Amino acid sequence: MYVLKFGGSSVANATAISGVLDIVEGVAREDRVILVCSAISGCTDSLISGDKKALESIRRRHLDIISRLFTGEDRADAAAEFFSLFDRMTKAPAAEAPAFGEVFSTRILARKLSCEGYSTAWADSRELVVKGDEARTTDNIRAFLKANAAAQMVVAPGFIARGADGKVCTLGRGGSDYSAAIFAAAAKAFSFQIWTDVPGIMTCNPKIVPTATTISKLSYDSALKMAEHGAKVLYAPTIAPALAAGIEINIRDTFQPSDPGTVIGNAPGPDVCAWTGVSNLPSENGNQRVFLSFEGPAAPDAVIARISACLKAAGIAPLQTGTEKDGLVWAEVRDAVLTQACRAIHREFFEIQAAKTLDLYIAGNGAVGNALRKLVESGAARKSGRHIRIAEISSSRDFAQRVLQTAPRHSVFADCTDSEDIHAFYVPLLEAGINIVSSNRRSLAVPFVEYAAMKQAALQSGCFFRYSTTVGTALPVLESILAGAMAGDEPESIEAVVSCTLNRILSEHESHTGDSFATLLRKAQEEGLTEKDPRFDLGGEDALKKLLILAREAGIPLEREDVKVIPAFSQRLFDCSLDEFYKMVESREQDLAGVEADLQAKGFRQRFIASVRKDSGSPGGFVAEIKLVPVPSDSPFYRITGTENVIEIRRKFTAPMVIRGAGEGAGVAACGVLNDILK
């Protein structure tokens, strides 16, 4: 018998529930399953509040789940059952309303499993689980399982029960874990799995310490100590039934089902001290106690001395220290320095101290920021001989200001946003001794005087200021231009296909895939390859930013107004709504295809090229433009496809240099940012 428990985030919507069903059905190939579930995320709080808007939102969310999981008569039956349950909930005593969240979610799951062909029984925990009476609860569950011996799937609500007085009640926050443990013990299950939204019990709360890692194996005792002292992943009462029955608890990540997670069991104590985790709880006087738990022999006084020393090195004076029980010591600190204290203790006991450690502050937790975080956490920088410690990752508007005020000198600020105003902090950050790495081309495509001020601030402060991924993602474009310019071989001209969006659409359209230009553009927009309004790309805005950066690295003080931009379409298509724009582009499909056919017949292809070249006869001494250009078959731009970038650099003394490669992708950009950090 398998017992699987899923939390609220695991069943938050139809997509998440589909993932749950995949996991459950995989396990069902081996044995019977008891499936214990929480209410969908946010449901219980809404039911407790009784707010009409919140209740209406809960009603809509469940109906949306039903609409997406079921079809035909099954959908109608599921909706009818939900309406009946919802009506009963509105008429039930207020104290019983919170119990309906788990009923809603598990009735939907039981019905879906039945529709999938599994013999399924729904177990009403309000009838089976008697709060405070495990003996009666065990008898009730065993009797139910015996009466439903033919059921391959048993689905039960977590969290809810009845009291000795027969009234419906709950088991407290986190009670679904406890419910599942009771079912596992009663059923004498050989596998008890708690599926949640984190990859097991971690060495610290990753929201506080981003470098926290998963603990692969933990004793019941250590897990209980951590749960009782602030670790949120496991509800402390869950451990007792599993321990009494000798059943291991496996905590897994619903969204990373291949990850083995944490196994809690009768692990023998290690011969040497092994640190298990850092957690925290508020103290009675409004401060915070930070706990360090460990297994094996250790002298508490020596551990406390080590904690005090690492806190002192971080500029934190502990208010007091002490021991809670065997294998648990603590330091009390002010609430304002909780994050720094947890990070200092975690760093001291769990992280590798490299020859050189860089504190990294990542602005932007979107695709690039998260890809960078995963790269750092995977230890990708290890070969460099340096250790990168992620101090914080955030998308808040005041993050740069906070870094400026709190980050130590020589830290690294990585701008992985697409913010148009975060560059205002670049000079102050550099002047404060904080290095900057940026993948945000908006921050570099500012007026030249601001660009020059950033470069000057970096030079005067001795900090590095790197942004190679702003053009060509991870291609060595800017590095090549700058190296030549510094050696006296300045570029005479630069031509570049750097609009990933237009290049993909043009190359796919000319290959006669069958899709119209408008269809290909819409696909690119849906994939997030374009701006929200793709006309920004068609109008050359993205290419313009990149050309400004390219030219400035070559020593040309290019400004926006110096660049002649000829959009891919006439101005009329830019002055209408987006829907009208797509209709007009679709209506011109025959003309667009005709132009391509004529060019191909002559051995040419269209490419959207950004260029700048020195010209002594022009104002400023250069000419810059962005436009669609027919290129012959011997051009380096002729054969590129998809989101590739190609940059051709012509110099005075050396042969032309052509750089070609992937120009798009969060993973590629993150690799480039990491390389900039480690140079």
Side-chain angles (χ1 to χ4, degrees):
M1 176 73 77
Y2 284 83
V3 174
L4 276 64
K5 180 265 175 180
F6 290 89
S9 59
S10 298
V11 293
N13 51 49
T15 301
I17 289 175
S18 295
V20 168
L21 293 170
D22 289 340
I23 293 169
V24 173
E25 291 174 5
V27 172
R29 298 188 188 102
E30 300 184 26
D31 205 345
R32 295 178 72 193
V33 174
I34 297 177
L35 175 60
V36 179
C37 284
S38 300
I40 66 173
S41 59
C43 181
T44 301
D45 287 337
S46 295
L47 296 179
I48 291 172
S49 74
D51 179 75
K52 289 184 179 180
K53 289 185 177 179
L55 293 179
E56 176 59 23
S57 173
I58 288 299
R59 189 183 73 86
R60 287 198 306 269
R61 286 178 63 194
H62 282 91
L63 289 175
D64 180 68
I65 289 171
I66 289 169
S67 175
R68 292 173 183 272
L69 289 182
F70 299 92
T71 59
E73 292 184 6
D74 293 332
R75 180 186 292 168
D77 292 343
E81 180 183 30
F82 173 73
F83 281 128
S84 175
L85 289 170
F86 195 84
D87 183 60
R88 285 167 56 188
M89 183 269 295
T90 60
K91 296 175 181 177
E96 294 185 13
F100 277 85
E102 279 70 14
V103 175
F104 295 157
S105 63
T106 53
R107 290 300 300 174
I108 291 171
L109 277 162
R111 182 176 289 275
K112 179 61 178 177
L113 287 166
S114 181
C115 290
E116 294 290 321
Y118 294 95
S119 55
T120 305
W122 183 72
D124 191 343
S125 298
R126 295 170 297 185
E127 300 298 326
L128 302 182
V129 180
V130 182
K131 188 174 183 178
D133 194 336
E134 288 192 15
R136 286 178 61 191
T137 297
T138 298
D139 290 342
N140 290 344
I141 292 172
R142 288 177 178 171
F144 181 87
L145 293 175
K146 185 176 180 180
N148 292 273
Q152 190 176 4
M153 299 276 192
V154 174
V155 183
F159 179 62
I160 60 177
R162 63 183 171 93
D165 58 2
K167 293 182 179 180
V168 174
C169 62
T170 68
L171 299 175
R173 292 293 185 171
S176 289
D177 288 355
Y178 182 41
S179 301
I182 293 171
F183 272 93
K188 298 180 179 179
F190 62 83
S191 181
F192 172 29
Q193 302 170 7
I194 296 177
W195 292 82
T196 182
D197 55 1
V198 293
I201 296 180
M202 305 188 76
T203 50
C204 192
N205 182 345
K207 293 179 180 178
I208 297 177
V209 179
T211 53
T213 57
T214 302
I215 306 166
S216 60
K217 197 164 184 66
L218 205 57
S219 69
Y220 291 116
D221 184 55
S222 286
L224 181 59
K225 282 185 293 192
M226 292 181 69
E228 288 177 337
H229 293 86
K232 305 295 185 184
V233 178
L234 185 66
Y235 184 50
T238 303
I239 296 171
L243 173 61
I247 302 171
E248 289 186 339
I249 305 170
N250 188 190
I251 300 178
R252 307 277 294 273
D253 188 343
T254 309
F255 307 102
Q256 299 181 56
S258 62
D259 194 309
T262 299
V263 175
I264 301 169
N266 279 314
D271 295 329
V272 295
C273 182
W275 317 113
T276 52
V278 176
S279 56
N280 66 280
L281 282 175
S283 62
E284 294 179 358
N285 52 14
N287 297 312
Q288 288 281 343
R289 282 193 175 182
V290 182
F291 299 90
L292 172 68
S293 57
F294 56 91
E295 295 182 331
D301 289 345
V303 178
I304 289 174
R306 189 174 168 187
I307 287 175
S308 297
C310 77
L311 288 175
K312 183 179 179 181
I316 300 168
L319 303 175
Q320 54 181 323
T321 58
T323 59
E324 188 82 10
K325 56 174 69 174
D326 288 344
L328 196 72
V329 298
W330 54 266
E332 187 166 327
V333 299
R334 298 189 313 278
D335 186 72
V337 296
L338 171 65
T339 296
Q340 296 94 316
C342 287
R343 289 176 177 175
I345 295 172
H346 189 275
R347 184 164 58 246
E348 174 68 21
F349 290 89
F350 294 92
E351 299 177 32
I352 299 171
Q353 297 298 304
K356 184 175 181 182
T357 298
L358 292 174
D359 282 318
L360 175 61
Y361 294 81
I362 304 175
N365 56 7
V368 176
N370 276 310
L372 176 60
R373 174 184 59 79
K374 290 177 182 177
L375 264 181
V376 172
E377 290 174 352
S378 72
R382 204 166 288 149
K383 290 182 180 179
S384 71
R386 283 178 288 181
H387 173 55
I388 297 177
R389 178 171 57 237
I390 298 179
E392 191 171 353
I393 177 170
S394 175
S395 286
S396 68
R397 294 182 64 85
D398 64 347
F399 180 56
Q401 179 67 45
R402 195 161 70 248
V403 172
L404 181 61
Q405 294 172 343
T406 62
R409 289 182 65 84
H410 311 302
S411 300
V412 180
F413 180 78
D415 180 3
C416 298
T417 73
D418 59 359
S419 168
E420 293 184 348
D421 51 24
I422 197 171
H423 73 275
F425 289 95
Y426 279 18
V427 169
L429 285 166
L430 291 165
E431 290 176 343
I434 298 170
N435 304 291
I436 295 178
V437 172
S438 179
S439 65
N440 180 6
R441 65 184 63 96
R442 287 176 169 83
S443 290
L444 276 298
V446 292
F448 183 80
V449 65
E450 295 182 38
Y451 163 87
M454 297 173 195
K455 301 280 281 188
Q456 184 65 19
L459 184 65
Q460 291 179 344
S461 67
C463 293
F464 60 75
F465 176 37
R466 299 167 185 155
Y467 41 88
S468 66
T469 55
T470 56
V471 182
T473 311
L475 298 177
V477 180
L478 301 184
E479 189 175 309
S480 300
I481 292 173
L482 186 59
M486 291 178 68
D489 192 11
E490 293 183 352
E492 292 292 299
S493 69
I494 301 171
E495 287 190 309
V497 169
V498 286
S499 175
C500 300
T501 303
L502 262 178
N503 191 62
R504 192 181 91 166
I505 294 166
L506 288 169
S507 61
E508 287 184 353
H509 194 248
E510 69 194 13
S511 64
H512 308 295
T513 60
D515 286 334
S516 67
F517 190 97
T519 299
L520 293 170
L521 180 59
R522 195 181 290 275
K523 284 182 179 179
Q525 181 187 6
E526 291 169 352
E527 291 173 19
L529 185 60
T530 72
E531 298 283 349
K532 291 182 180 179
D533 187 333
R535 288 173 291 187
F536 282 97
D537 300 270
L538 298 175
E541 179 62 28
D542 184 58
L544 174 58
K545 293 185 180 76
K546 294 174 180 176
L547 183 62
L548 290 172
I549 299 168
L550 286 168
R552 290 167 179 180
E553 290 300 286
I556 300 172
L558 195 66
E559 299 281 13
R560 283 174 169 265
E561 55 269 25
D562 298 327
V563 185
K564 181 180 180 181
V565 181
I566 303 176
F569 289 100
S570 65
Q571 187 61 41
R572 192 161 66 89
L573 275 72
F574 289 80
D575 296 334
C576 59
S577 70
L578 194 55
D579 285 340
E580 291 174 316
F581 162 76
Y582 272 116
K583 288 177 183 177
M584 283 193 278
V585 174
E586 190 66 54
S587 70
R588 298 186 180 193
E589 176 59 25
Q590 189 171 352
D591 293 338
L592 294 171
V595 169
E596 282 184 352
D598 289 344
L599 286 171
Q600 288 184 9
K602 299 173 184 176
F604 286 82
R605 289 176 177 169
Q606 282 192 113
R607 294 292 180 261
F608 199 57
I609 296 178
S611 66
V612 60
R613 70 178 187 276
K614 290 187 177 179
D615 184 341
S616 58
S618 300
F622 53 82
V623 174
E625 57 187 2
I626 300 172
K627 63 181 179 180
L628 278 171
V629 178
V631 298
S633 59
D634 60 351
S635 166
F637 306 116
Y638 184 83
R639 301 187 189 283
I640 58 173
T641 60
T643 58
E644 285 184 298
N645 279 183
V646 171
I647 296 93
E648 183 180 54
I649 306 165
R650 293 183 176 271
R651 304 182 189 277
K652 184 183 293 186
F653 303 115
T654 54
M657 175 185 291
V658 176
I659 301 172
R660 173 178 175 176
E664 190 68 29
V668 177
C671 286
V673 171
L674 183 58
N675 285 334
D676 274 353
I677 293 170
L678 296 174
K679 283 177 184 174

